[in-house]
Amino acid sequence: MTGPDPVWLYRTVRLIRRFEERAIELVDAGEIVGGIHPYLGQEGIAAGVCAALAADDLVTGTHRGHGHVLAKGADPARMLAELCGRVTGLNRGRGGSMHAADFGVGVLGANAIVGAAGAILTGAVWERRRRGADVVGATFFGDGAVNEGMLLEAFNLAALWQVPVLFVCENNGYATTMPVAGAVAGTVAGRAAAFGMPSTAVDGQDPERVREASAAAVARMRAGGGPELIEAHTYRFDAHHTFEHRVRLDYRPPEEVAEGRSRDPVDIQGARLDPAVRAEVDASVEAVLDAAVDFALAGPHPDPATALDHLYASGLTARTGGG
Amino acid sequence: MPRLSYRRALTRALADEMTRDESVVVLGEDIRVAAANVTTGLLKKFGPERVRDTPLSEQAFTSFATGAALAGARPVVEFQIPSLLFLVFEQIVNHAHKFPLMTGGQCAVPVTYLVPGSGSRTGWAGQHSDHPYALFAHVGVTTVVPATPADAYGLLVSAIRCDDPVVVFAPAGALDLREDVAEPAPVPLGRGVVRRSGDDVTVVAVGHLVHDALAVAEELSGQASVEVFDPRTLYPFDFDGLVDSVRRTGRLVVVDDGNRSCGIAGEIIATVVERVRLAAPPRRVTRPDGAVLPFAPALDRAVQPGRDQLTAAIQLTLKDG
């Protein structure tokens, strides 16, 4: 990634924002089936964390994971093709929105099971370092995940074995519809403290603040420190999932939504740029996404005869289900 | 010829593969002191980086192994208790097994899950006596159940070298076996073996029950010629090898230390009758539906498949048709 480059940060949050908006259009158009979990409003976290990582550092994301994959450097066109289920997608149309992965840029996958990816990333970083690579990792999860035992076990293992993993809690206030107050006893920071893990709270709506906190944590980890936690306070601008666009669920008061949306990471970072530069970035992001949509929709659909491809890495062939 | 015990066969397989391949690491609870008597000597030989004793965090260290595998390792994860596999079913099935397909072939997850002491150990009661191999066959994770020391060595070596997750069930009922083995060698996954040739009925026996089936075949040798087929790998199953046998004998009995409903015996019979017209209805001897092994030894034994049941099933099959 880059150093403290305000233009890169802006470009990244803007790219994620517009990617999500274009993706929602494609959901509405029926080109993306199954819907998506929009990352709208949380873009500053993926951008700020990934700005602090190097190209060969490793990342795992969540079901709300498009931002993580894009910020780490995946090609938006192949990402969008994946969402559209095309063979030109990152995962050849086998993963979709919730499993998008790009091992080539260190994204070991979005993961659709809440709290599951932390231990996976810890193992991956450990093995890369055992092989002599000076890598660190960042694993993203929501406030809902801090009540998952397997994530807390991963905190323990990473801290015990001093594996440099940045545990990034994107606290958007809700686990699906459940507010934090109804789900979390104690605090997120308290969970880190219980395992002797340093933690930093940060304004997740400000990409620069996220980048600063992440860069400081990554620097400590590269200097030999163990895992750390960042709790980024944020707000999800849109639905938990696009099904909420059709089925209205009443769990967030309109005033709260309005207030949450008033602190927009795209505007916060955009205000730091010369208006002409900002306009230039906006235009280039639009061009990238125009091309991405064209690429995605032009990609071939997978042949049903290949539905079992990649099931086994060993070459094992599964029996088919027919009579 | 050197005598090889089942446990030392597993130890030797681990040591040989760790020597051959730096990417092999072993994880598990109490493995530094070899509490399950399998990882004996490995810590001293290979050091704590490659022989990692873990806290009691099965879900975390199972997925840690998945991540390490994604980054190039070939981890072996030891579980002292078979029912711990229930605890990590999510980590194995939903992550390790699904990653290659979900990522469109971007990765492999070569992890071996080793259970030295699956099934009943007599007196370990309800939560330590399961034999859940059929669950892994059902979800399509490569599943092996070695019956002999030579196969314990050979199948564990092949499991470690396999690019996919493999569960190795080492039945408690086989752990005390010893046999003469000239030179232990890899045994291919997915290949069964005829342990005893016969003409009248094919008995498929899983794991330690191979030895019960051989004993029953010997007892019945005056009345019938019983062929004993040891599948060795339950998934992928060597149906071609079994069908060859059943085409000759025309009769099939399966003895399986799993629960009856949706067990591996049911799958074996279903697949054979899809391919072969049998001379008599097939039979299976299994644990009961929904088995929970009771503590008292007589009850524990009563729930496991026994030689008397197998003898009766063979005789019924021979009488029918």
Side-chain angles (χ1 to χ4, degrees), chain A residues 62-77:
Chain A
T62 68
H63 55 285
R64 197 178 310 289
H66 304 169
H68 314 129
V69 182
L70 291 170
K72 192 63 174 61
D75 174 5

Side-chain angles (χ1 to χ4, degrees), chain B residues 79-320:
Chain B
F79 297 94
Q80 287 180 34
I81 302 163
S83 30
L84 291 177
L85 293 175
F86 298 142
L87 191 58
V88 299
F89 202 58
E90 202 275 329
Q91 282 70 24
I92 297 174
V93 177
N94 223 5
H95 303 279
H97 170 60
K98 292 184 180 176
F99 258 66
L101 184 135
M102 290 196 305
T103 61
Q106 292 183 58
C107 63
V109 188
V111 183
T112 300
Y113 311 98
L114 172 62
V115 188
S118 56
S120 170
R121 283 180 281 187
T122 309
W124 290 69
Q127 292 180 331
H128 279 44
S129 305
D130 294 287
H131 225 157
Y133 42 68
L135 287 178
F136 292 91
H138 176 71
V139 296
V141 173
T142 295
T143 304
V144 303
V145 194
T148 67
D151 277 3
Y153 177 90
L155 288 167
L156 180 53
V157 164
S158 295
I160 294 169
R161 295 180 188 177
C162 180
D163 282 341
D164 287 314
V166 181
V167 187
V168 178
F169 288 91
L175 285 179
D176 292 328
L177 293 173
R178 293 169 180 275
E179 70 176 330
D180 294 331
V181 180
E183 188 57 43
V187 171
L189 301 173
R191 197 85 55 80
V193 64
V194 173
R195 294 286 183 196
R196 177 190 174 109
S197 297
D199 303 320
D200 299 333
V201 57
T202 301
V203 172
V204 179
V206 176
H208 61 296
L209 295 173
V210 166
H211 306 286
D212 294 287
L214 290 170
V216 168
E218 183 60 29
E219 280 166 22
L220 292 176
S221 58
Q223 310 161 39
S225 169
V226 177
E227 178 144 310
V228 177
F229 183 85
D230 173 3
R232 305 197 282 195
T233 303
L234 297 183
Y235 185 88
F237 196 97
D238 183 5
F239 285 116
D240 289 342
L242 176 58
V243 162
D244 282 347
S245 169
V246 178
R247 284 215 169 102
R248 282 189 285 100
T249 63
R251 289 177 165 82
L252 174 65
V253 173
V254 183
V255 56
D256 156 28
D257 190 33
N259 295 355
R260 197 167 187 84
S261 187
C262 301
I264 199 71
E267 179 56 35
I268 293 168
I269 288 171
T271 302
V272 170
V273 301
E274 281 176 337
R275 293 175 60 175
V276 182
R277 188 179 296 278
L278 296 174
R283 303 267 169 188
R284 57 185 153 155
V285 179
T286 64
R287 292 187 182 193
D289 279 345
V292 178
L293 260 64
F295 164 67
L299 302 179
D300 178 316
R301 276 194 300 277
V303 174
Q304 295 179 67
R307 291 186 186 183
D308 291 348
Q309 291 171 305
L310 177 57
T311 303
I314 292 170
Q315 286 170 335
L316 274 173
T317 304
L318 289 170
K319 203 170 66 181
D320 288 342

Side-chain angles (χ1 to χ4, degrees), chain A residues 14 90 94 175:
Chain A
R14 176 75 186 181
L90 289 173
R94 269 71 178 175

Side-chain angles (χ1 to χ4, degrees), chain A residues 90-92 94-95 99 101-104 108 111 113 116 119-120 122-124 126-128 130-131 149-150 153-154 156-157 160-161 163 307-316 318-319, chain B residues 22-23 25 49-50 52-55 57-60 63-64 67-68 70-73 90-91 94-95 99-108 140 142 162-164 235-236 239 267 271:
Chain A
L90 289 173
N91 307 28
R92 298 186 166 97
R94 269 71 178 175
H99 306 304
D102 188 348
F103 279 55
L108 306 187
N111 196 308
I113 301 300
I120 294 172
T122 303
W126 176 83
E127 174 62 14
R128 291 287 297 276
R130 193 175 76 85
R131 291 164 173 259
M150 58 185 156
E153 285 187 16
N156 184 60
L157 219 54
L160 184 73
W161 293 346
V163 183
L308 297 179
D309 284 7
H310 314 296
L311 179 56
Y312 296 105
S314 62
L316 173 61
R319 293 187 292 169
Chain B
E22 281 280 326
S23 65
V25 298
E49 193 72 358
R50 293 180 68 195
R52 294 197 76 80
D53 214 317
T54 59
S57 302
E58 292 83 9
Q59 296 185 326
S63 274
F64 181 95
L70 292 175
E90 202 275 329
Q91 282 70 24
N94 223 5
H95 303 279
F99 258 66
L101 184 135
M102 290 196 305
T103 61
Q106 292 183 58
C107 63
T142 295
C162 180
D163 282 341
D164 287 314
Y235 185 88
F239 285 116
E267 179 56 35
T271 302

Side-chain angles (χ1 to χ4, degrees), chain A residues 139-283:
Chain A
T139 181
F140 298 88
F141 52 91
D143 46 274
V146 304
N147 300 319
E148 293 285 4
M150 58 185 156
L151 181 65
L152 301 178
E153 285 187 16
F155 284 5
N156 184 60
L157 219 54
L160 184 73
W161 293 346
Q162 291 289 285
V163 183
V165 169
L166 189 58
F167 290 97
V168 182
C169 179
E170 301 183 318
N171 186 345
N172 66 17
Y174 292 86
T176 309
T177 69
M178 172 61 83
V180 166
V184 182
T187 62
V188 176
R191 283 158 171 68
F195 298 99
M197 194 159 56
S199 71
T200 310
V202 64
D203 175 6
Q205 301 311 95
D206 187 334
E208 285 285 7
R209 298 289 89 75
V210 177
R211 187 201 60 76
E212 284 167 9
S214 303
V218 166
R220 287 189 292 269
M221 293 197 299
R222 288 205 202 281
E228 301 205 14
L229 181 140
I230 285 181
E231 181 181 13
H233 291 279
T234 185
Y235 199 76
R236 160 162 64 72
F237 284 10
D238 199 332
H240 163 69
H241 181 272
T242 46
F243 77 76
E244 280 184 61
H245 294 172
R246 302 188 310 276
V247 183
R248 195 176 157 74
L249 302 176
D250 184 18
Y251 60 96
R252 299 198 302 184
E255 317 80 66
E256 180 195 291
V257 176
E259 192 194 327
R261 293 179 67 108
S262 73
R263 299 201 64 250
D264 185 325
V266 176
D267 289 337
I268 288 171
Q269 189 61 23
R272 295 181 175 128
L273 267 55
D274 180 281
V277 173
R278 182 175 177 177
E280 203 176 298
V281 170
D282 290 354

